[in-house]
Amino acid sequence: MDEETRRAVAAADEALPDSDALPDAIDAGRVVFGFDGYLDRVREVVADRIDPESHERLATLEGFGDRIDRSVAADSSLSFEWLQQGSRTGGHTSHLARAFGGWSFDPVMVGMYGDPVHDAFEAEFGEYDLHSIGEPGVTDAVEFDDGKLMLTEIGDTMSLDWAELDAAFGHDRLAKKLDGASLLGTGYWSETPDLPTVFDGLRDLWGDIDDPPETVLVDPGDVRKLDADRLRAGREAIGRLDEVTDVVISSNRAETGVLADAYAGDAERSFAGDAERSFADDAEAVFEALEPTWFVGHGVERSVAVSGDGTDSVAVPAVPDPKLTTSSGDHFNAGLGLALIAGLPPAAAVVVGNAVAGYFVRTADQPSLADVRAFVDDYLKKF
């Protein structure tokens, strides 16, 4: 185990309250999440149908791709059988509200839940402060051992901008929800191309809020969907918002690489030739270009945090046989948001993010605060 990870775990162990003090030791007040909403169907692909009652699962995304490649090479059409293994509400607002609600916070959800609100959202979040501003997207999440394939109908997030948010919900109403909240979480920029207009609107609104959130947590999502102009607009809007509050950007390993490529000309560093870049290299380049308070990258093997104080890199305990990987990034963000509210430094915050995601992929369940604390206690033993 590397010494940097040991120090990060020690910092988290010291800063995170003990289990017997939870949840009272954390100020579990209001948190606000916007502006998406999804209905997720978790699926698997059939490799071979044995009989009507049994089949072999196609285990890897690589194998799925091989079948497509062979079909293309043969100039042939191709069909797959898939099976639904479960369904749930999804997206940034659902996953983070579920986590924080379980931790005794008071979530406010402003997003795409249908008109009237879809039964699935009403059943799970009906007791929360939930406000629908459009129709949800639908995602078929196909689970493989080496990754996942997400097939998505976006819903109304695609057309959301600051003016539409005013028409559907109201800027003054949003300001009231943000007043006294400890965190604002937003996602996903990739599914809401005009989200930078919301960042600019929030910047203008911030001064009119008596007690605004100390932190805005931004999940860009799969930014490969965004063109250069939108990426540029987002870079500028994030920098402007960070002038009035702390902005923390959180991306997975692949997304971090895409952002680093997109902003290579805007960062002080330059990438030489085709030399392989480290996760930390990419994260530092994105931090320099976007200029948030923190940039956090989460991955299967390591997670990194870049701030004005430098770069922290923390090893992630391996999961040989994960129960569920879809939304593991959202669960990392839930842990990161919890750590931000608790005032943890970057390295310790990354450990808590890894702990929440690590618990989730091992159990396919939401951890309690005691579960998070226990994961941190045993973090080094899991390697």
Side-chain angles (χ1 to χ4, degrees):
M1 177 50 52
D2 61 277
E3 189 59 33
E4 190 172 12
T5 298
R6 292 184 184 277
R7 290 195 301 269
V9 174
D13 181 65
E14 180 179 355
L16 195 66
D18 292 333
S19 292
D20 56 5
L22 294 170
D24 296 336
I26 293 178
D27 183 13
R30 190 184 331 134
V31 286
V32 181
F33 301 113
F35 298 94
D36 67 357
Y38 286 89
L39 297 169
D40 289 349
R41 298 182 295 221
V42 181
R43 296 184 180 272
E44 68 179 28
V45 174
V46 174
D48 293 295
R49 170 61 64 181
I50 298 171
D51 57 46
E53 302 300 326
S54 58
H55 68 279
E56 292 183 358
R57 167 177 170 262
L58 185 56
T60 67
L61 189 58
E62 181 181 16
F64 184 85
D66 287 343
R67 291 194 178 198
I68 294 174
D69 288 342
R70 291 197 299 270
S71 180
V72 171
D75 195 21
S76 169
S77 59
L78 178 65
S79 67
F80 289 98
E81 178 189 1
W82 64 359
L83 303 174
Q84 184 170 327
Q85 300 301 314
S87 62
R88 58 181 178 169
T89 59
H92 177 86
T93 61
S94 293
H95 291 308
L96 270 74
R98 183 183 301 115
F100 277 87
W103 296 333
S104 300
F105 286 78
D106 296 320
V108 177
M109 303 172 65
V110 182
M112 308 299 175
Y113 313 119
D115 181 17
V117 173
H118 194 285
D119 289 346
F121 295 107
E122 183 64 39
E124 185 169 9
F125 303 116
E127 296 183 359
Y128 294 171
D129 190 1
L130 182 146
H131 305 272
S132 180
I133 57 174
E135 292 301 317
V138 178
T139 296
D140 288 296
V142 188
E143 292 273 332
F144 297 98
D145 293 345
D146 57 347
K148 53 184 177 282
L149 174 66
M150 313 284 280
L151 304 172
T152 300
E153 295 179 19
I154 299 298
D156 285 342
T157 58
M158 184 62 69
S159 60
L160 182 71
D161 59 14
W162 184 241
E164 179 62 27
L165 183 57
D166 187 29
F169 187 66
H171 296 161
D172 292 343
R173 194 177 177 197
L174 179 61
K176 290 179 181 178
K177 299 299 181 184
L178 292 172
D179 194 4
S182 53
L183 177 72
L184 168 62
T186 66
Y188 309 104
W189 180 14
S190 59
E191 318 303 329
T192 312
D194 290 323
L195 192 60
T197 68
V198 176
F199 296 153
D200 278 333
L202 287 170
R203 182 191 185 282
D204 295 338
L205 188 67
W206 223 249
D208 297 329
I209 304 173
D210 291 336
D211 183 19
E214 293 185 3
T215 305
V216 176
L217 176 62
V218 178
D219 183 345
D222 187 357
V223 291
R224 289 171 291 190
K225 301 177 182 179
L226 300 175
D227 61 30
D229 288 341
R230 293 191 187 278
L231 287 168
R232 189 178 305 110
R235 177 183 66 80
E236 296 167 353
I238 288 168
R240 287 190 290 264
L241 182 57
D242 194 69
E243 294 172 0
V244 298
T245 189
D246 289 349
V247 177
V248 174
I249 312 294
S250 177
S251 293
N252 67 26
R253 176 66 182 95
E255 294 158 0
T256 300
V258 172
L259 287 169
D261 288 338
Y263 296 131
D266 298 315
E268 292 180 5
R269 65 181 56 233
S270 61
F271 298 131
D274 295 326
E276 184 175 351
R277 301 170 344 225
S278 71
F279 196 177
D281 288 337
D282 282 348
E284 289 167 356
V286 179
F287 175 79
E288 290 172 6
L290 292 179
E291 298 183 327
T293 302
W294 296 1
F295 178 84
V296 179
H298 51 90
V300 174
E301 298 179 351
R302 299 195 77 84
S303 295
V304 298
V306 187
S307 69
D309 295 327
T311 301
D312 298 288
S313 178
V314 181
V316 177
V319 188
D321 187 22
K323 291 287 185 66
L324 185 64
T325 61
T326 300
S327 77
S328 58
D330 294 294
H331 285 78
F332 175 90
N333 287 338
L336 177 62
L338 176 67
L340 288 164
I341 292 171
L344 272 62
V350 166
V351 171
V352 176
N354 289 342
V356 174
Y359 183 96
F360 174 76
V361 299
R362 287 166 171 80
T363 65
D365 199 6
Q366 174 64 45
S368 67
L369 288 176
D371 292 329
V372 177
R373 175 72 245 194
F375 197 107
V376 172
D377 288 340
D378 295 338
Y379 194 97
L380 296 178
K381 299 177 184 176
K382 296 182 181 296
F383 287 92

